[in-house]
Amino acid sequence: MEPVLTKFVHEPNSFTLDVSLTHGAYEGLRKAVTMQPGEVIDAVKASGLRGRGGAGFPAGMKWGFVPKDSPKPKYVCCNADESEPGTFKDHVLMERNPHLVLEGVAIACYAIGATTGYIYIRGEFWHVAAVLEGAIAEARARGCLGADIFGSGFDCEIHVHLGAGAYEAGEESALLESLEGKRAQPRLRPPFPAVVGLYGCPTVINNVETLANVPFIIVNGPEWFSGIGPEKNTGPKLFCVSGHVNAPGVYEASMHTTLRQLIYDHAGGIRGGRQLKAVIPGGSSTPVLLPSAIDVPASFDGVAAAGSMLGSAAMIVMDDTTCMVWAAENLIHFYRHESCGKCTPCREGADWMLRILRKIERGDGAMRDLDLLESVARNINGKTLCPFGEAEVAPVLSTLQHFRHEYEAHIREGRCPLHADWRRGA
Amino acid sequence: MTFHPNMPYDTGLHASARQLPDPGEPFAFTPERRARLEEIAAHYPPERRRSALLPALHLVQHQQGHVSARAMEHVAEVIGVTPAEVEDVVSYYSMFYAQPVGTYVLQVCRTLSCALNGAERVTDVLSRTLGIKPGETDASGMFTLMEVECLGACDRAPVVAVNEHWHELVTPEAAARLVDDLRARGPAALSGCHLCVEKGK
């Protein structure tokens, strides 16, 4: 597949309006403002575009939930929190093709009747925020954003809002809380943000990559878009591959591409010619897969059928030097740190799981700890306000399922049997 | 307080425990930062000024390195919320420091993709070189060492952020050199970052 979203990101100064215009920037917005807002939503619905942030929810349907008769202002929030471990695709888009992201936000605003869009970007991406702010200034100066865009009477202002280090801010209702100047903690739903969102107003929240697809759907038509990739898994897709591969990076491909092709063809195979041991297919919140399960399409439905999730399409590849108990402990440390603390099962459960994992990993575990670990995990699952609970148990339950023998070896031998040279104290 | 008799409560500070912020010196924004804050506040509806709280706290940290209790009081007044609400937010977000930090805050990404590429060894080398543990500031007040969670640059693992500058593909040897370089050349040592080089900055 010819790259669409990342077509010119390797060109010098790809982030400038001049270079972007030579590649058709803002043509989608120019066309969208001549259409009825409902037609724009219909086009996105017909394209089959599914959210690229993790859940894979149809974007057009989300836009359609916004009440048309509400007297309140409406908002679009672009979720640029990109905090899921293993994920770095939105980073590339915003840094190298910011005008595409801005165009997507503006079209979404037009479609739902909003005049203000916020890009909520994680605080550590301050340099990317600066690129976006520069791009906004350039676009406003040339009439691509601001008042009366392309003489259509449509006004649209986009602002960049910098977060301050909170994984949970990537959850859409927590993102709204953070944007309102509070702790990033999730809201009870319903009501959903499409009806009661930012400042209590109807709000659409989409991932960066989701919005970046929208201009192409408007320019090339929904049929073009749905012609890429398998049915119900349409359009170009960015894949992040990191870990023990020769060429980690962001790769754009259709969702026909298999996990194996991404690891061995795109990312150059396993480092040092070693054997693949396990792969996390969609960011740290998705269950680990065995090498025997990687001949499936890297699509929402394909990865789900293999027993995991496409998530944010962030593959973390682990070779045969990796201790899976150590890997689970590493990720649970992350979740324990990032749990927002609102729901007791998630807050206390993460802490408890970490203590059990540490005990096993350092060789002090007992066989009964495995049952305790599983019991704690199962008591978090489904008992929290947001999907964080399911996310934090995925590394534990999937490694227990596929690598129980490694846990048992730690307990039997009273040590970590697989202490690789790239680890602490090696 | 242990939940399990065989498990010491060893995972550090509990998320709900309150750590008192540094009282700090009297604080007010410089006129430039105050003007910048008003520019940012104009992005939000006037009755939603609280949205400018996170940006205000970033400005505080740019000005004095951390967010002291006095600075929280000032921000509360400027934004129109209570100091308790400001502390509530400061204590939640990991990028805000309620205690003084060193001139250079070395943040080693410790999450899986970086760890698979040797981040633990990078932390150990920095710890040995500086004679401090993660979370501590050295006696000179020049360096604070921290382990942070995923920075979103997993393809260039391991990543060490020094204040706001990212250093990528950092080997343990390169980490030790970075410390020497910062001691010898100061902020000039930060110019070697991938992004800075590429943008010609």
Side-chain angles (χ1 to χ4, degrees):
Chain A
M1 195 198 92
E2 283 294 306
V4 177
L5 304 170
T6 57
K7 184 176 139 203
F8 63 96
V9 295
H10 299 292
E11 282 185 25
N13 298 318
S14 65
F15 57 91
T16 60
L17 185 54
D18 283 331
V19 171
S20 301
L21 284 173
T22 65
H23 294 283
Y26 295 102
E27 287 309 312
L29 179 59
R30 194 182 291 276
K31 184 173 169 191
V33 294
T34 66
M35 298 160 67
Q36 290 299 317
E39 292 174 332
V40 176
I41 296 179
D42 288 342
V44 175
K45 277 183 182 165
S47 74
L49 172 64
R50 292 172 70 171
R52 267 48 172 160
F57 192 83
M61 205 188 286
K62 211 177 201 181
W63 295 10
F65 292 150
V66 173
K68 284 163 196 66
D69 48 1
S70 170
K72 293 177 177 172
K74 302 179 182 80
Y75 295 101
V76 169
C77 293
C78 172
N79 186 344
D81 195 56
E82 188 152 79
S83 298
E84 175 78 3
T87 316
F88 41 92
K89 62 189 177 64
D90 299 340
H91 188 176
V92 172
L93 279 180
M94 293 187 287
E95 191 182 283
R96 310 295 173 99
N97 200 354
H99 289 284
L100 179 62
V101 178
L102 297 177
E103 187 182 0
V105 175
I107 295 172
C109 283
Y110 179 77
I112 68 156
T115 56
T116 308
Y118 293 106
I119 300 178
Y120 184 101
I121 187 166
R122 63 179 296 182
E124 294 88 345
F125 283 4
W126 66 278
H127 50 277
V128 186
V131 173
L132 282 169
E133 276 167 357
I136 290 170
E138 265 191 306
R140 286 184 93 243
R142 306 252 205 116
C144 302
L145 289 177
D148 190 23
I149 294 170
F150 303 130
S152 65
F154 168 57
D155 304 337
C156 184
E157 295 291 353
I158 300 176
H159 305 295
V160 179
H161 185 97
L162 204 57
Y167 170 72
E168 182 59 12
E171 195 281 330
E172 63 176 16
S173 68
L175 181 149
L176 299 177
E177 288 286 299
S178 184
L179 192 45
E180 292 182 4
K182 302 172 203 159
R183 288 181 165 219
Q185 293 189 317
R187 295 176 179 173
L188 183 64
R189 281 148 289 182
F192 288 93
V195 183
V196 182
L198 184 65
Y199 309 137
C201 302
T203 304
V204 157
I205 304 136
N206 286 132
N207 171 258
V208 170
E209 187 191 346
T210 312
L211 290 168
N213 273 298
V214 170
F216 298 107
I217 294 171
I218 301 303
V219 170
N220 300 330
E223 299 76 20
W224 165 84
F225 190 87
S226 57
I228 301 171
E231 199 187 337
K232 293 185 179 153
N233 296 270
T234 55
K237 182 78 195 84
L238 300 184
F239 296 95
C240 318
V241 191
S242 66
H244 292 151
V245 288
N246 283 314
V250 174
Y251 299 99
E252 183 172 356
S254 89
M255 287 187 262
H256 280 305
T257 318
T258 63
L259 296 174
R260 179 181 299 280
Q261 286 171 320
L262 286 165
I263 296 171
Y264 287 95
D265 300 342
H266 291 78
I270 309 299
R271 199 175 62 178
R274 299 201 71 98
Q275 292 297 309
L276 174 66
K277 179 168 191 176
V279 56
I280 295 176
S284 62
S285 308
T286 61
V288 167
L289 291 176
L290 293 174
S292 57
I294 62 170
D295 290 298
V296 294
S299 65
F300 295 103
D301 299 336
V303 182
S308 189
M309 289 185 294
L310 182 66
S312 55
M315 303 173 67
I316 304 176
V317 177
M318 290 170 270
D319 72 15
D320 54 5
T321 61
T322 314
C323 166
M324 297 309 291
V325 179
W326 168 88
E329 184 200 322
N330 180 284
L331 290 179
I332 299 308
H333 186 285
F334 170 83
Y335 286 107
R336 180 195 169 273
H337 182 264
E338 299 297 340
S339 174
C340 82
K342 186 164 181 165
C343 308
T344 312
C346 168
R347 181 187 66 235
E348 302 300 327
D351 202 73
W352 205 350
M353 289 195 296
L354 179 61
R355 279 183 285 150
I356 301 170
L357 284 164
R358 277 197 176 158
K359 189 182 162 198
I360 298 171
E361 164 62 19
R362 69 171 179 250
D364 296 334
M367 288 297 175
R368 65 173 188 279
D369 290 331
L370 298 183
D371 296 333
L372 180 63
L373 182 59
E374 187 165 344
S375 158
V376 173
R378 296 217 180 276
N379 279 298
I380 298 168
N381 226 350
K383 295 185 175 67
T384 54
L385 279 179
C386 83
F388 193 111
E390 282 88 77
E392 74 178 7
V393 302
V396 167
L397 290 179
S398 62
T399 51
L400 269 175
Q401 182 193 345
H402 297 306
F403 298 97
R404 195 175 178 97
H405 54 280
E406 285 200 18
Y407 282 88
E408 290 171 353
H410 280 75
I411 294 166
R412 258 198 326 274
E413 298 180 29
R415 65 185 183 102
C416 175
L418 197 56
H419 200 101
D421 61 0
W422 41 263
R423 277 174 59 189
R424 169 161 290 141
Chain B
M1 47 179 281
T2 51
F3 298 105
H4 189 284
N6 294 332
M7 260 176 278
Y9 194 82
D10 64 351
T11 54
L13 192 70
H14 194 275
S16 60
R18 179 178 181 218
Q19 199 181 14
L20 283 178
D22 169 50
E25 304 297 318
F27 180 91
F29 280 123
T30 61
E32 296 75 27
R33 289 204 173 84
R34 181 59 203 263
R36 175 66 189 138
L37 177 58
E38 292 309 319
E39 263 175 47
I40 295 169
H43 296 167
Y44 314 100
E47 71 280 13
R48 301 292 180 174
R49 196 171 161 79
R50 186 170 174 170
S51 280
L53 180 52
L54 262 55
L57 293 168
H58 279 299
L59 289 170
V60 169
Q61 217 157 266
H62 285 156
Q63 187 164 323
Q64 68 163 21
H66 73 292
V67 188
S68 60
R70 287 235 174 83
M72 292 183 201
E73 285 165 21
H74 180 68
V75 167
E77 199 180 312
V78 170
I79 298 288
V81 293
T82 67
E85 286 169 318
V86 177
E87 191 188 329
D88 180 57
V89 165
V90 170
S91 61
Y92 181 82
Y93 292 93
S94 59
M95 285 178 75
F96 296 136
Y97 311 135
Q99 306 298 330
V101 290
T103 312
Y104 301 106
V105 184
L106 305 174
Q107 305 151 75
V108 186
C109 176
R110 65 164 308 284
T111 318
L112 193 54
S113 295
C114 280
L116 289 168
N117 285 287
E120 290 184 350
R121 295 183 59 224
V122 170
T123 302
D124 284 356
V125 162
L126 288 172
S127 192
R128 265 203 309 279
T129 310
L130 298 168
I132 52 175
K133 291 202 281 287
E136 294 178 348
T137 301
D138 73 344
S140 70
M142 195 170 179
F143 295 102
T144 299
L145 179 61
M146 283 184 186
E147 286 185 294
V148 298
E149 299 294 351
C150 188
L151 289 169
C154 319
D155 53 338
R156 302 188 291 271
V159 183
V160 180
V162 184
N163 299 348
E164 294 173 328
H165 297 260
W166 291 17
H167 289 245
E168 296 148 347
L169 302 164
V170 180
T171 59
E173 298 72 32
R177 275 201 307 276
L178 176 63
V179 170
D180 292 341
D181 217 21
L182 283 166
R183 280 187 177 133
R185 298 199 294 135
L190 295 173
S191 61
C193 304
H194 152 97
L195 289 164
C196 304
V197 171
E198 206 164 300
K199 295 238 171 65
K201 282 179 189 166

